[in-house]
Amino acid sequence: MYELGHSKNATHGYSFDDVAIAPARRTRSESEVDLRWRIDAVTFDTPIVAAPMDSVMSPATAIEMGRLGGLGVLNLEGLWTRYEDPSPAYEQLTEPADQVTATRRMQQLYSEPIKAELIEARLAEIRAAGVPVAGALSPARTQQFADVIERAGVDFFVIRGTTVSAEHVDETEDTLNLKDFIYRFDVPVLVGGCATYRMALHLMRAGAAGVLVGFGGGATHTTASVLGIEVPMASAVADVAEARRDYLEESGGRYVHLIADGAVGRSGDIAKAIACGADAVMVGSPLARATEAPGRGWHWGPEAWHATLPRGERVFFEQVGSLAEVVNGPSHLPDGTMNLVGGLRKAMAFTGYTDIKSFQRIDVMVH
């Protein structure tokens, strides 16, 4: 503990940039590394989940993500469920503009009501392609569209917010009872953001199949500046991994998956996230660099269009290659933003590990 003054103590938190993976006593061939990740009845070739952000996920890119071995999650509060044809909205959002103009434009475009029939249509389009179907809503919208999600049929449902608790207190509104909601669904529910041991344990006890660790949108959100809320990701993942171990014993063997969601912009970050205890990662900014990304290099998250308190901004990334190249290579950049799978595979091979679960036990060092 660190003493800030006579009345306040604080713990030290570490980001992914603060830690490094320590080499082990052996190395292995890359061909021996198995990156498969299984959650519920679905097995993925790679432990990579595409973040539900309009700048990277459309029905088409969600389908492509599934074909590449990962999971694409569609934002069910985004442009694709507000407009039959979102192309004009994308045209406006990808025009050069200062942050004030861009934010006002987003607030205006996202004021269009969400349409239940479009939620069903977009999810049906993904299902017709034969890949796993996943959609995301914020906690505030989950109750409103729960019946629609059930009718549409998804393989995974994601409840994603800046911070999500199992004990939201509100005396004036019909709020989401997370435990009742999760047990009502026949599909795995992934819930987050979450960044502390105690919060994670509550979400696990509520029945979450997976916990999103972090606050998402690391490259685009300004939550730390607006709200002062931030937990460095290496510490957050390690804390939640400890909660998972304790819950595994408490529940008699129920395993909850941990998905690092935030500050995962390079393949090295993915390796560090898993080394700290994650089963998979949720990524956004690397995918914004793909030529198929609907944002055309512009990248923004759901925090950016809040009507009264935006906590995000639009940023631009140079497009570097196809979605397949960003995820599975080959890469022509030396910075870890392409061939995310190859970077993780090589990190595991260099340190002698052949699967995700064993790699979680590797030693890490603090800079």
Side-chain angles (χ1 to χ4, degrees):
M1 298 293 291
Y2 290 80
E3 187 177 281
L4 301 183
H6 289 294
S7 63
K8 182 68 70 174
N9 292 328
T11 58
H12 192 106
Y14 298 97
S15 70
F16 289 142
D17 287 339
D18 294 324
V19 301
I21 296 169
R25 64 184 177 88
R26 66 167 63 93
T27 59
R28 294 184 184 273
S29 168
E30 290 182 49
S31 62
E32 295 184 42
V33 176
D34 183 359
L35 296 181
R36 285 179 295 180
W37 171 50
R38 181 181 178 87
I39 178 168
D40 198 55
V42 182
T43 299
F44 298 95
D45 291 337
T46 61
I48 297 179
V49 181
M53 303 169 80
D54 279 349
S55 52
V56 297
M57 281 292 102
S58 65
T61 54
I63 291 169
E64 180 65 7
M65 194 68 196
R67 289 173 176 163
L68 293 173
L71 175 64
V73 184
L74 190 68
N75 178 15
L76 301 182
E77 299 177 40
L79 299 174
W80 293 94
T81 59
R82 296 175 189 264
Y83 297 94
E84 182 70 40
D85 178 12
S87 299
Y90 274 109
E91 290 285 347
Q92 294 186 56
L93 290 176
T94 55
E95 292 176 356
D98 60 77
Q99 286 295 353
V100 172
T101 302
T103 299
R104 287 176 174 168
R105 189 175 292 161
M106 278 191 273
Q107 289 173 320
Q108 178 184 7
L109 290 169
Y110 282 97
S111 66
E112 178 73 16
I114 300 167
K115 300 171 180 62
E117 63 273 17
L118 286 180
I119 292 179
E120 295 187 66
R122 304 310 187 196
L123 294 175
E125 182 180 346
I126 299 171
R127 180 169 296 284
V131 300
V133 183
L137 289 171
S138 65
R141 297 280 194 179
T142 297
Q143 286 277 64
Q144 180 182 356
F145 293 106
D147 292 339
V148 180
I149 301 300
E150 283 191 297
R151 289 197 307 269
V154 293
D155 296 300
F156 300 94
F157 179 58
V158 179
I159 302 176
R160 187 177 190 249
T162 300
T163 179
V164 179
S165 75
E167 298 183 357
H168 179 69
V169 178
D170 192 325
E171 297 178 353
T172 62
E173 298 181 8
D174 180 21
T175 57
L176 173 67
N177 184 315
L178 191 59
K179 186 172 184 178
D180 289 348
F181 177 84
I182 288 175
Y183 280 100
R184 163 184 170 181
F185 265 59
D186 291 330
V187 300
V189 179
L190 313 179
V191 186
C194 161
T196 64
Y197 173 97
R198 187 173 297 277
M199 181 184 290
L201 200 57
H202 287 178
L203 294 178
M204 293 172 189
R205 288 169 175 166
V211 174
L212 305 179
V213 183
F215 303 122
T220 60
H221 80 64
T222 57
T223 299
S225 300
V226 178
L227 303 181
I229 297 174
E230 182 179 20
V231 179
M233 280 296 291
S235 293
V237 172
D239 271 1
V240 176
E242 181 66 21
R244 176 181 58 197
R245 283 190 289 269
D246 289 349
Y247 178 71
L248 186 68
E249 181 177 350
E250 172 190 307
S251 64
R254 182 174 181 267
Y255 187 87
V256 177
H257 293 265
L258 192 164
I259 303 166
D261 181 16
V264 187
R266 302 171 189 270
S267 55
D269 298 326
I270 298 175
K272 291 178 185 181
I274 294 174
C276 288
D279 297 288
V281 297
M282 180 171 276
V283 300
S285 58
L287 307 184
R289 303 170 189 267
T291 52
E292 300 97 320
R296 304 172 191 173
W298 290 101
H299 186 42
W300 64 91
E303 306 88 358
W305 69 72
H306 193 282
T308 59
L309 192 66
R311 301 182 306 281
E313 57 187 8
R314 194 186 62 153
V315 297
F316 183 77
F317 295 105
E318 181 182 356
Q319 293 178 295
V320 296
S322 67
L323 188 61
E325 290 174 321
V326 170
V327 176
N328 289 325
S331 171
H332 52 261
L333 292 173
D335 60 1
T337 57
M338 295 183 73
N339 196 0
L340 304 179
V341 172
L344 173 60
R345 186 183 301 278
K346 191 169 287 291
M348 291 174 61
F350 277 177
T351 53
Y353 290 84
T354 59
D355 59 81
I356 297 296
K357 294 307 300 177
S358 62
F359 191 56
Q360 291 172 342
R361 298 192 294 270
I362 192 172
D363 290 334
V364 296
M365 305 176 71
V366 175
H367 286 287

Short mmCIF file of all heavy atoms in Angstrom, two decimals, residues 17 93 112 199 218 270 286 307 340 348:
data_model
loop_
_atom_site.label_atom_id
_atom_site.label_comp_id
_atom_site.label_asym_id
_atom_site.label_seq_id
_atom_site.Cartn_x
_atom_site.Cartn_y
_atom_site.Cartn_z
N ASP A 17 2.01 -2.18 -20.41
CA ASP A 17 3.32 -1.61 -20.73
C ASP A 17 4.30 -1.75 -19.57
O ASP A 17 5.51 -1.65 -19.76
CB ASP A 17 3.18 -0.13 -21.10
CG ASP A 17 2.56 0.06 -22.46
OD1 ASP A 17 2.58 -0.88 -23.27
OD2 ASP A 17 2.02 1.17 -22.71
N LEU A 93 -19.83 10.35 -40.66
CA LEU A 93 -18.94 10.09 -39.52
C LEU A 93 -17.49 9.88 -39.93
O LEU A 93 -16.60 9.92 -39.09
CB LEU A 93 -19.43 8.86 -38.75
CG LEU A 93 -20.74 9.05 -37.97
CD1 LEU A 93 -21.18 7.75 -37.33
CD2 LEU A 93 -20.58 10.13 -36.91
N GLU A 112 -31.31 8.62 -33.54
CA GLU A 112 -32.31 7.83 -34.26
C GLU A 112 -32.66 6.60 -33.42
O GLU A 112 -31.79 5.91 -32.89
CB GLU A 112 -31.75 7.38 -35.61
CG GLU A 112 -32.67 6.51 -36.43
CD GLU A 112 -33.84 7.28 -37.04
OE1 GLU A 112 -33.78 8.53 -37.07
OE2 GLU A 112 -34.80 6.63 -37.48
N MET A 199 -15.85 -6.96 -7.66
CA MET A 199 -16.86 -6.79 -8.71
C MET A 199 -16.94 -8.05 -9.58
O MET A 199 -18.03 -8.50 -9.94
CB MET A 199 -16.54 -5.57 -9.56
CG MET A 199 -17.56 -5.30 -10.65
SD MET A 199 -17.08 -3.91 -11.71
CE MET A 199 -17.28 -2.55 -10.57
N GLY A 218 -9.88 1.32 -25.38
CA GLY A 218 -8.74 2.02 -24.82
C GLY A 218 -8.23 3.15 -25.68
O GLY A 218 -7.77 4.18 -25.17
N ILE A 270 -1.78 -8.81 -26.39
CA ILE A 270 -2.58 -10.02 -26.29
C ILE A 270 -1.84 -11.08 -25.50
O ILE A 270 -2.39 -11.72 -24.60
CB ILE A 270 -2.94 -10.55 -27.70
CG1 ILE A 270 -3.78 -9.52 -28.46
CG2 ILE A 270 -3.67 -11.88 -27.61
CD1 ILE A 270 -4.07 -9.90 -29.89
N PRO A 286 -6.90 -2.48 -33.51
CA PRO A 286 -6.22 -3.16 -34.61
C PRO A 286 -7.14 -3.43 -35.79
O PRO A 286 -6.72 -3.34 -36.95
CB PRO A 286 -5.73 -4.47 -33.97
CG PRO A 286 -5.66 -4.18 -32.52
CD PRO A 286 -6.80 -3.24 -32.26
N ALA A 307 -25.55 11.44 -25.05
CA ALA A 307 -26.27 12.69 -25.32
C ALA A 307 -25.85 13.84 -24.42
O ALA A 307 -25.88 15.01 -24.82
CB ALA A 307 -27.77 12.45 -25.20
N LEU A 340 -2.03 -10.60 -35.57
CA LEU A 340 -2.19 -10.71 -34.12
C LEU A 340 -2.04 -12.16 -33.65
O LEU A 340 -1.43 -12.43 -32.62
CB LEU A 340 -3.57 -10.17 -33.70
CG LEU A 340 -3.90 -8.74 -34.11
CD1 LEU A 340 -5.30 -8.37 -33.66
CD2 LEU A 340 -2.88 -7.76 -33.54
N MET A 348 4.20 -17.69 -27.50
CA MET A 348 4.03 -18.95 -26.77
C MET A 348 5.10 -19.96 -27.15
O MET A 348 5.63 -20.68 -26.30
CB MET A 348 2.63 -19.50 -27.01
CG MET A 348 1.54 -18.65 -26.37
SD MET A 348 -0.15 -19.17 -26.80
CE MET A 348 -0.19 -20.83 -26.14
#
